[in-house]
Amino acid sequence: MNITYSKQSSKVLSRIDNTTKTRIRKGIELIPAGDIVPLTGSVDSFRLRVGDWRVIFSYPNENSIFIEKIAPRGAVYKGVR
């Protein structure tokens, strides 16, 4: 499965500590397993919970995942359509 990161999510991953970064990347690699919930009000966006962090992603096609946003729990939902 092809995983593509947005500019914002790549920037967040480069700034966080290695332990958290490893947990988030491992969670992303294990999609569709994990704590995944469709976002309310959105047809094609989903939320992955990794501890106190949230990953907002979508499936542009059947063999790829687009990571839209990675942020702490309280800040991730601001500005999401």
Side-chain angles (χ1 to χ4, degrees):
M1 187 161 289
N2 183 23
I3 301 172
T4 308
Y5 293 86
S6 69
K7 184 177 179 181
Q8 184 271 347
S9 60
S10 296
K11 192 180 282 189
V12 169
L13 281 177
S14 70
R15 292 180 179 173
I16 59 177
D17 61 282
N18 285 331
T19 305
T20 305
K21 185 186 308 186
T22 303
R23 289 180 59 216
I24 291 172
R25 286 196 177 184
K26 193 175 290 186
I28 291 170
E29 290 171 3
L30 294 176
I31 292 175
D35 186 3
I36 297 175
V37 175
L39 286 181
T40 304
S42 177
V43 176
D44 59 350
S45 292
F46 299 86
R47 181 268 299 160
L48 169 67
R49 183 177 65 86
V50 181
D52 287 339
W53 288 80
R54 302 297 185 264
V55 178
I56 306 298
F57 69 95
S58 61
Y59 296 105
N61 60 48
E62 62 187 45
N63 291 326
S64 66
I65 298 172
F66 179 65
I67 307 300
E68 299 172 18
K69 192 171 185 181
I70 300 172
R73 181 179 60 93
V76 75
Y77 302 110
K78 296 177 182 172
V80 175
R81 298 179 208 127

